[in-house]
């Protein structure tokens, strides 16, 4: 059962506002560099644009997280569950849930979404991740994108959506909004209609893991492994194109 979190309303609002501000500044910077014709920013899939987009949101979270935790007199170890005596059990549950339920359901919904969009006449385009890796031109770019998918994004996104927003909204007295509203927002911020439903399903499963284990490392591990599995599939597909 998820324990009550000490997150104060003003700190949560400041944290979210800072995240939005960093992301908006990143968009502004990328737009200015694009208009200036700077190499790496001329096309949407250029690495410079990808770097700014990822660092201005997920990267910014890594800077904002310790500030948020310090406001509440806690640290990474306690907030993320490193000292939990049941940590191994939580991580094992995360792997089992991912392998047996989350990944099959998400991939199935992705296929269903593609078929529905096709029937509606909506063009099914490559996912953002596919575009990013197709646009990579050097091994360093592949390394960064892999690190982003497996480490940077899961930690940042799980802290924001499961670690902060989910318990905060739930403790305000809106459990359904916490489950479905926060999961909807998680899927929405990825800005990809084809994987919206799979990401929504993933978000619900990750929230369940956090609720069940009361350890943020459980959804982080499941999210990271999910991204890693998709990364392997993607790289294998690109290799044989």
């Amino acid at each position: 059962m998820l324990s009550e979190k000490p997150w104060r309303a003003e700190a949560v609002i400041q944290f979210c506002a800072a995240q939005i501000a960093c992301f908006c500044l990143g968009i502004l910077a990328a737009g200015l560099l694009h208009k200036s014709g700077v190499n790496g920013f001329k096309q949407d899939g250029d690495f410079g644009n990808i770097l700014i987009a990822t660092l201005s949101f997920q990267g910014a979270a890594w800077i904002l997280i310790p500030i948020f935790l310090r406001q509440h007199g806690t640290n990474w170890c306690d907030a993320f569950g490193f000292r939990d005596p049941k940590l191994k059990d939580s991580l094992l549950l995360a792997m089992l849930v991912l392998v047996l339920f989350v990944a099959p359901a998400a991939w199935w919904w992705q296929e269903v979404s593609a078929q529905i969009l096709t029937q509606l006449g909506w063009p099914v385009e490559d996912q953002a991740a596919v575009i990013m890796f197709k646009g990579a031109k050097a091994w360093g770019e592949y390394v960064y994108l892999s690190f982003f998918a497996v480490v940077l994004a899961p930690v940042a996104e799980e802290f924001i959506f499961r670690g902060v927003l989910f318990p905060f909204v739930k403790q305000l007295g809106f459990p359904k909004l916490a489950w479905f509203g926060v999961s909807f927002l998680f899927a929405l911020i990825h800005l990809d209609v084809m994987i919206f439903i799979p990401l929504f399903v993933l978000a619900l499963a990750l929230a369940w893991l956090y609720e069940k284990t009361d350890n943020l490392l459980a959804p982080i591990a499941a999210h990271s492994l999910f991204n890693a599995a998709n990364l392997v599939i993607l790289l294998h597909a690109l290799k044989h194109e």
Side-chain angles (χ1 to χ4, degrees):
M1 187 71 178
L2 190 64
S3 61
E4 187 169 339
K5 306 304 174 185
W7 312 145
R8 299 191 303 274
E10 65 274 16
V12 172
I13 293 171
Q14 290 171 1
F15 178 74
C16 294
Q19 279 285 168
I20 294 171
C22 289
F23 186 61
C24 290
L25 286 173
I27 293 175
L28 178 61
L32 291 174
L33 291 167
H34 171 72
K35 287 186 177 181
S36 300
V38 178
N39 287 332
F41 298 91
K42 294 179 180 180
Q43 304 295 330
D44 290 341
D46 286 351
F47 185 70
N49 286 320
I50 294 169
L51 187 64
I52 287 184
T54 54
L55 291 181
S56 63
F57 186 74
Q58 289 87 349
W62 280 73
I63 298 173
L64 296 172
I65 288 170
I67 298 173
F68 181 83
L69 295 179
R70 194 157 51 245
Q71 289 177 316
H72 295 89
T74 188
N75 54 52
W76 285 76
C77 288
D78 293 331
F80 283 77
F82 283 101
R83 296 193 178 102
D84 185 356
K86 296 181 179 179
L87 175 58
K88 290 183 179 179
D89 293 337
S90 297
L91 294 179
L92 178 60
L93 178 62
M95 287 189 289
L96 288 174
V97 170
L98 175 71
V99 173
L100 298 178
F101 302 103
V102 178
W107 290 331
W108 183 80
W109 273 112
Q110 184 173 322
E111 291 298 322
V112 171
S113 298
Q115 292 177 14
I116 292 174
L117 290 175
T118 300
Q119 291 177 359
L120 292 174
W122 192 303
V124 178
E125 301 176 349
D126 285 339
Q127 297 176 32
V130 177
I131 295 172
M132 286 193 296
F133 275 90
K134 280 185 175 180
K137 298 179 178 64
W139 70 268
E141 296 179 12
Y142 284 104
V143 170
Y144 172 77
L145 291 172
S146 300
F147 174 76
F148 168 77
V150 179
V151 179
L152 192 66
V155 172
E157 292 174 7
E158 290 313 304
F159 185 84
I160 295 169
F161 293 97
R162 257 61 65 183
V164 175
L165 293 180
F166 177 69
F168 177 71
V169 175
K170 186 180 178 184
Q171 288 169 196
L172 285 177
F174 304 101
K176 290 183 180 179
L177 183 62
W179 279 93
F180 297 102
V182 173
S183 297
F184 180 89
L185 183 61
F186 171 80
L188 186 65
I189 61 110
H190 289 81
L191 301 175
D192 193 330
V193 66
M194 195 179 84
I195 59 172
F196 178 85
I197 295 178
L199 288 177
F200 182 73
V201 172
L202 173 65
L204 288 174
L206 295 174
W208 180 87
L209 268 175
Y210 191 36
E211 178 78 36
K212 184 72 174 178
T213 64
D214 195 23
N215 190 315
L216 193 57
L217 288 177
I220 288 174
H223 191 160
S224 179
L225 290 171
F226 180 77
N227 284 3
N230 280 302
L231 179 63
V232 170
I233 294 170
L234 172 59
L235 292 177
H236 178 75
L238 292 177
K239 183 180 179 180
H240 290 84
E241 279 190 351

